[in-house]
Amino acid sequence: MVVYGHREVLEVVTQPQLYSSAVSRHLQLPNGLDGAEHAAFRALIDPYLMDGGALQSIESMAREVMQALLADLPLPATVEAVTDLGAKYAVRVQQRWLGWQPGLEPCLLAWMEENRAARAFDEIIQGELALRRDHAGYPAGDDVTSRLMRDDCLGRPLREEELVSILRNWTAGDLGSLALCTGVVLHALAESPALQAHLRAGLPVPAFDRVLDELLRQDSPFVANRRRATQHTTLAGVDIPAGTVVHVNWTAANRDPRTFSHPDGFGPEENAPANIVYGAGPHACPGRALSTLELRVFTQELLNATTRLSLGGETERELPPGGGYARVPLRLE
C-alpha cells in the first residue's frame, strides 16, 4: 500500500505504535527501531549530527573541500552536476568528518556510481574499524569513527554490527542523497537566473536554508520510506490489515494541493511549515542540520566562484528515482 497525501503520510509517521519502522530484515540503526530502543540510539547519535560546535567545525572543513574542488576547475567549464561536483564533494566531506583514509575516495565514488550492494559498503566500514583496532589511536583517536567506537551512551560499547549499521546509515545513504540534492539545486539555479541573483545578493542563513528546502520540496530525491501496520486499522477510510507494509511517499505528500495551494510554485517562506522533505515524527532525519549545512556550503561556494550557471546541454529528466540528476550537464562561467 502506498500513501500519497500529506495529512495521511503524517498520520502514519507520527504514530510509531501503530505503524512500526521495523520493516527490513537487516539491522538498520536507528531508523529501523521503535519506542524506547529507538530513543536510546537517537540519544547516542544525535550529538554527532546536531551539536552546534561540531557543525561549525564541519562547516569550515566543508568550505575548504568545496574551494579546493572548484580550484581544480578552469572556468568556463561544462561539468556533470552530480558526478563531477556533488559526488566528489559529498565523499570528501564525509571522509574528513569520519576520519577515513583519503585513499578510499575512488572506491567510494565507484560504489556510488555503480550502486553496488550494501555488502561492498559494509566491507569498507569494517576495514576502517579494523584499522583502528589493529593500530590503537589511528589516526589520532579523536575522529568521529573512533569516538563512536568508544561511545558508551548505551551503558556498553557498540557491537560490530551496530557500528557498521550506524556508519552505513550516515554514509551510504547520505553520500547518494547529498549528491543528488546538489543536482536538484544546481538544475533549479541553472534554469533561473533570477534565483541565482537572489542567492548571490546574500541571504541570512535561515532564509538561504528555506530556499534549499523549497527546491527539494518541489523536486525531492527522497522518495519513500516503509512502515508496517502493527494491528488492523484504517487510513482515509481504507482498511489496513495488521502486518501490511505501508509505503509513505514523501515526494507526493510534499506536492499535495490540499496542503500546498500551488505545488509547482516557489514559496520558501509560506511552504516551510508543512515541508516534510526530511521526514516527520520521531523518525525525522537526525542528519537534517548536517545535510542542510553541507548543501548550503556547496551552493554558496559555487556561487561565490562563478558569475553564471546555465544548463550545458540536454538533461536526462526521465531516469528512475534516485538517478534523475546524475547526468545534468552544467555550464560554469
Side-chain angles (χ1 to χ4, degrees), residues 256-267:
D256 186 344
R258 298 174 302 169
T259 301
F260 304 95
S261 56
H262 302 287
D264 294 327
F266 181 70

Side-chain angles (χ1 to χ4, degrees), residues 24-39:
S24 176
R25 56 190 175 89
H26 301 292
L27 182 65
Q28 294 185 333
L29 300 178
N31 44 312
L33 304 176
D34 293 309
E37 193 176 17
H38 173 258

